[in-house]
Amino acid sequence: MRPDARAWFESRTTSATGPAEIDAAALLRAKRRGGHRVSVVLPARDEEATVGRLVTDIVELWVRRVPLVDELVVVDSDSTDRTAELARAAGADVVTTAEVLPAHGSRPGKGEALWKSLAATTGDLVVFHDADLLGDVSHYVPALLGPLLTDPAVGYVKGCYTRPLSADGVTSPAGGGRVTELTARPLLNAWWPELAGVVQPLAGEYAGRREFLEQVPFSSGYGVEVGLLLDLLELIGLPGLAQVDLGVRRHTSQTQDALSRMAGQVLSSILARAGHGRAVSGLLTQFRRDGDVFVPYSSPVAVDERPPMLSISEYRARQAASG
């Protein structure tokens, strides 16, 4: 690891692996002292099995018991199940991607929900939290807020964790995050070695200051996390980034075909920022066997990005009206 990456890793990595490590009272004092408003965003598509419990925990612990969170918004991306109904019943505000900035249309993908969430929330600190997590993750929100509330030099915080892998009924204590290890990490270490200390560059749990998030583009697909990491590195520099060890993260493992498509989108987002000088193919071709022959099928993985939110006139007008 390069010296600058090691120095960052040692100085900008903190730990909050469970509720016992959270000093909620100190965080609340820091929030009030800084005059902050906190928004928590859960992007969701067909997550009825998990979203209600996650929202319930955040509302009970961090809205009511310790009022760290001022608004909790679930951004629903065309769910066909009861995601929106259960999230609303648990206490979240629910919006759909189609109803936010309707003049700009609506695109598929997680990044679209995250981008539009900036126009649907008002906090100067924004926490993004995946909606498919299993187990007790009630400490994630305050842990991610910690560096932002206690260090004004930090502008963006990534979560990191151990990721168990469940496959064929067998669970290994580690081994999850295959797209990270086989695609994102090798490329980032090659082109951005200063980021070698980032444990989970594709983590779906992170937090940032609105003043920076609104200045960068958002990839519409699974390339959104690595795109944000690279663009914010350029905007605020390595010292402005931090990470928090959250302990263990569990969710439903995806199939190999789905992971391949995810890797294709991550790769496209990285290549778009690497200055490689060559157009990126917009399709990923995979194969499935049909009897005695292989049948090819293709999926789009090209980068589809929304511009920085500050470039949207409706957003600027709302910000100006709110002061």
Side-chain angles (χ1 to χ4, degrees):
M1 188 187 296
R2 266 182 19 176
D4 57 345
R6 181 172 296 279
W8 178 86
F9 175 78
E10 293 175 351
S11 66
R12 283 294 196 226
T13 304
T14 54
S15 177
T17 59
E21 296 184 41
I22 301 296
D23 188 341
L27 292 178
L28 185 58
R29 287 195 297 271
K31 177 197 171 186
R32 289 171 172 167
R33 187 165 54 246
H36 296 294
R37 180 173 173 81
V38 173
S39 302
V40 175
V41 173
L42 276 68
R45 177 181 171 85
D46 294 335
E47 302 294 356
E48 66 177 7
T50 52
V51 71
R53 176 185 56 82
L54 293 172
V55 169
T56 296
D57 286 349
I58 295 171
V59 169
E60 175 59 29
L61 292 172
W62 310 120
V63 176
R64 294 175 181 161
R65 189 177 305 178
V66 181
L68 277 175
V69 174
D70 298 288
E71 60 181 350
L72 172 57
V73 177
V74 170
V75 184
D76 185 31
S77 299
D78 303 315
S79 292
T80 58
D81 65 3
R82 299 173 64 213
T83 291
E85 175 188 346
L86 294 175
R88 192 175 288 111
D93 294 325
V94 179
V95 297
T96 66
T97 53
E99 67 189 19
V100 180
L101 299 177
H104 296 267
S106 184
R107 303 175 184 178
K110 176 184 180 182
E112 176 79 351
L114 298 178
W115 182 72
K116 286 197 168 184
S117 76
L118 293 180
T121 57
T122 58
D124 61 297
L125 303 182
V126 185
V127 180
F128 298 108
H129 191 305
D130 278 353
D132 64 344
L133 303 190
L134 305 173
D136 183 5
V137 295
S138 58
H139 61 290
Y140 278 20
V141 167
L144 291 165
L145 283 170
L148 296 172
L149 291 172
T150 58
D151 188 346
V154 173
Y156 185 62
V157 182
K158 291 288 289 185
C160 60
Y161 24 62
T162 301
R163 299 184 65 176
L165 175 63
S166 297
D168 300 323
V170 178
T171 299
S172 302
R178 289 164 286 176
V179 174
T180 293
E181 300 305 328
L182 300 177
T183 302
R185 194 181 310 285
L187 291 170
L188 291 175
N189 275 251
W191 278 317
W192 292 274
E194 66 270 37
L195 291 176
V198 178
V199 179
Q200 294 288 353
L202 305 185
E205 289 70 45
Y206 43 95
R209 301 188 191 277
R210 177 178 295 271
E211 62 183 295
F212 302 131
L213 293 169
E214 65 188 8
Q215 294 186 56
V216 295
F218 279 61
S219 296
S220 294
Y222 285 110
V224 62
E225 275 87 17
V226 75
L228 286 173
L229 178 63
L230 294 175
D231 290 340
L232 288 166
L233 171 68
E234 181 176 356
L235 180 66
I236 63 178
L238 189 62
L241 309 180
Q243 65 184 351
V244 180
D245 180 0
L246 301 173
V248 178
R249 181 189 194 270
R250 296 181 178 88
H251 69 151
T252 303
S253 298
Q254 300 208 44
T255 66
Q256 179 174 288
D257 282 359
L259 289 175
S260 183
R261 291 189 291 274
M262 184 185 299
Q265 293 180 25
V266 169
L267 177 62
S268 290
S269 193
I270 292 174
L271 291 179
R273 292 161 171 80
H276 57 91
R278 183 177 178 183
V280 180
S281 170
L283 292 176
L284 171 69
T285 298
Q286 298 169 279
F287 297 86
R288 61 170 62 97
R289 183 177 284 280
D290 184 4
D292 295 330
V293 299
F294 285 106
V295 177
Y297 63 101
S298 298
S299 306
V301 295
V303 172
D304 178 19
E305 292 192 337
R306 288 295 201 175
M309 188 56 77
L310 269 181
S311 69
I312 304 301
S313 59
E314 298 96 318
Y315 177 81
R316 294 197 306 274
R318 192 201 71 171
Q319 293 297 92
S322 67

